[in-house]
Amino acid sequence: MSEQYKDAGVDITAGYQAVDKIQAHVKRTMRPEVIGGIGGFGAAFDLSQLNMKAPVLVSGTDGVGTKLKLAIDSNRHRTIGVDAVAMCVNDIITTGAEPLYFLDYIAVDKVIPEHISDIVEGISNGCTDAECALIGGETAEMGDMYGAGEYDIAGFAVGAVEKDAYIDGTAAKPGDTIIGLASSGIHSNGYSLVRKWLADYSVDVEGMLDGKPIIDHLLEPTRIYVKAIKKVREEVDIKAMSHITGGGFIENIPRAFPGHLGADIDVANVEVPKIIEWLIELGGMDMREAYNVFNMGIGFMIAVNDKDEARTMEILEDAGERPTVLGRVTADGGLRVHGY
């Protein structure tokens, strides 16, 4: 062990201990296409094992924003890794891609092996849910960059889709049905505003809301939609998809379609999570603005031919989702949201 390096703020031994603790979490995410396991200088994945004729690789990278600050302040680290995976894989599946592998980056002020293990446990849970392998990562100890107990996390995911099956929204037509998949809560967007409200109104996050502490609602991990979308694609021709993240309905639904198409959305039947309702009331937010900040109960959206509506709803329900018919694709550009 380098005592001089430790004196400079980097504990190599703690790093080794952290690696030992995460091995079991990583192992359960493995796929047969992974070459050499984890621990080398580069992570390898054998695309030839996918039996694709013309594979297109789709990649995405993201973090979890200032939701991480709540995890740090409450010393709860086991779910934040799920968010890191979800924010990446939910993006890439909008193209029809199957997530293949994931890499993480964790930067800390000081390596605490138990904390690293908790974080990677969440990442592994997310990868298992997304059916992708955690094949590499980096843990950097940077005490000069982060305050005591602080850390940051980012992820990178790669998926693949047959070139002729790539989804970019251009197959959508006026009259197609737009279906929303329920969110699990706030997911990982809007937390700078959420934290401001919590501070402005001196909220005790250990206080109860709808039967559990507010902090539990706030740290509820982002829902991963990989398995449900895979089930739909096995039977239904999906025209377009959108991951409802920062910017809410207003920004993310139009992104799924070419500019000449729009969407008419009726949210009357959408169940808004209690935590989002509570926050909107706490901050006195206008509902139009709320649909431009929060997911408002819908974490993912797909568009299908209206003739496939009933079957799509059935598949999603069988997959454990709570789908809602939101509206229709329209011939004119723009988005109309009503019913709130």
Side-chain angles (χ1 to χ4, degrees), residues 242 248-259 261-263 301 334-335:
S242 181
F249 279 37
I250 307 303
E251 179 179 342
N252 291 292
I253 291 179
R255 290 174 63 188
F257 306 108
L261 294 179
M301 176 227 80
L335 175 69

Side-chain angles (χ1 to χ4, degrees), residues 90 93 129 179-184 187 222-232 271 297-302 312-324:
N90 285 345
I93 63 172
D129 201 15
I179 298 173
L181 282 66
S183 69
S184 54
H187 284 184
T222 304
R223 190 165 179 80
I224 292 174
Y225 300 100
V226 173
K227 292 178 182 177
I229 295 303
K230 183 178 180 179
K231 289 289 186 183
V232 175
E271 182 179 351
I298 298 296
F300 203 85
M301 176 227 80
I302 68 175
T312 302
M313 292 288 286
E314 184 178 25
I315 295 169
L316 289 170
E317 289 169 356
D318 288 346
E321 298 294 335
R322 291 183 289 115
T324 303

Side-chain angles (χ1 to χ4, degrees), residues 45 47 50 52 54-59 92 95 97-98 100-101 157-163 166:
F45 190 96
L47 286 177
L50 295 178
M52 287 187 173
V56 172
L57 295 181
V58 182
S59 59
I92 67 176
T95 65
E98 170 193 354
L100 302 176
Y101 58 85
V158 173
V161 60
E162 287 281 14
K163 188 173 183 179
Y166 184 86

Side-chain angles (χ1 to χ4, degrees), residues 64-74 80 150 195 219:
V64 299
T66 59
K67 183 177 187 176
L68 186 59
K69 181 67 173 171
L70 291 174
I72 294 168
D73 291 345
S74 62
I80 205 72
E150 292 183 346
R195 290 176 49 252
L219 291 179

Side-chain angles (χ1 to χ4, degrees), residues 197-216:
W197 284 343
L198 295 177
D200 287 350
Y201 299 105
S202 302
V203 173
D204 176 9
V205 295
E206 297 296 341
M208 302 299 287
L209 174 67
D210 197 33
K212 66 180 182 180
I214 291 169
I215 188 63
D216 287 355

Side-chain angles (χ1 to χ4, degrees), residues 197 247-250 267-268 270-273 276-297 337-340:
W197 284 343
F249 279 37
I250 307 303
V267 297
V270 175
E271 182 179 351
V272 180
I276 295 180
E277 289 183 335
W278 178 81
L279 284 166
I280 291 170
E281 183 177 354
L282 178 70
M285 177 177 272
D286 175 78
M287 289 301 290
R288 174 71 181 182
E289 184 179 2
Y291 279 90
N292 200 19
V293 175
F294 299 117
N295 65 58
M296 300 304 288
V337 180
H338 53 96
Y340 50 78

